[in-house]
Amino acid sequence: MKKKLLALVMAMSMIMTVFGMVAAAEEAETAETEVTEAVEGTTVTGELLDVAQIMVEAAQAKAIEIDVPMVISVMDMGGNLVLLHRMENSLLASLEISQNKAYTAVALKMPSSTVKELAQEGQELQGIAVDHAGKIVEFGGGLPIYNADGVQIGGIGVSGGSVEEDTSVAQAGLDAYEAQ
């Protein structure tokens, strides 16, 4: 009798565990849907990956045209890397710099070239590069990306040449997307 009772208790315990797991899975799915809806447009999506590919192709074409190997980075609004493209013979340092330029365009919602003016002594963003562990770049090559509705969806960062070259390559990528 004790064995049957013990077996019944164990069976009931297992059934309760299964029901609990099913309920937890349903709750997790609901929570995931709510979080996805809350941050829609701020994380990596198929649309932004498509945008990034268009931009990188055009940016690379411009870099080839001016004969400067570049690293091109595209980030979403969460600061997540969507696409990183390193051309052959580009500078190793450009891997991090291009990402930081894209991050700057996302984090501050402005071109990285604008930050220099605002970060000078006595200006409203003085010290911002130090406050963000070097991730904020104070020179050109990082541009925000806006969709057709004028909503920022990410940032592009380019590094490998002069500030002027980096900016022109980033702009070529942005222009290709805007022409779509």
Side-chain angles (χ1 to χ4, degrees):
M1 178 79 167
K2 280 186 173 181
K3 286 183 181 180
K4 287 183 181 180
L5 183 58
L6 182 58
L8 181 60
V9 168
M10 288 182 70
M12 292 298 290
S13 176
M14 288 174 39
I15 290 170
M16 296 296 284
T17 300
V18 169
F19 281 126
M21 290 170 59
V22 169
E26 288 174 356
E27 285 179 33
E29 185 177 330
T30 301
E32 181 179 340
T33 301
E34 290 171 358
V35 168
T36 301
E37 290 171 357
V39 296
E40 188 174 313
T42 63
T43 58
V44 178
T45 64
E47 179 185 358
L48 188 53
L49 181 57
D50 293 343
V51 167
Q53 290 170 332
I54 290 165
M55 294 177 73
V56 166
E57 286 177 20
Q60 178 174 282
K62 179 67 175 178
I64 290 169
E65 177 187 315
I66 64 173
D67 197 30
V68 179
M70 301 275 188
V71 177
I72 305 150
S73 299
V74 177
M75 287 192 171
D76 68 13
M77 288 304 293
N80 302 301
L81 187 62
V82 175
L83 187 61
L84 173 71
H85 179 70
R86 181 178 186 225
M87 295 174 63
E88 188 174 341
N89 294 320
S90 61
L91 300 171
L92 184 58
S94 293
L95 285 165
E96 187 173 349
I97 295 168
S98 70
Q99 291 177 68
N100 289 346
K101 288 179 180 185
Y103 176 84
T104 299
V106 167
L108 300 179
K109 298 184 178 189
M110 67 177 69
S112 59
S113 60
T114 304
V115 177
K116 183 174 185 173
E117 302 163 21
L118 299 173
Q120 292 179 11
E121 187 175 340
Q123 297 300 313
E124 59 189 277
L125 294 182
Q126 179 182 342
I128 193 162
V130 175
D131 290 344
H132 287 271
K135 288 187 77 167
I136 299 295
V137 175
E138 298 179 4
F139 48 90
L143 298 171
I145 305 166
Y146 296 94
N147 68 14
D149 297 325
V151 176
Q152 187 175 357
I153 60 171
I156 182 171
V158 176
S159 179
S162 68
V163 170
E164 183 180 323
E165 290 167 334
D166 292 355
T167 301
S168 70
V169 170
Q171 188 64 55
L174 194 57
D175 290 346
Y177 165 59
E178 291 173 350
Q180 295 288 312

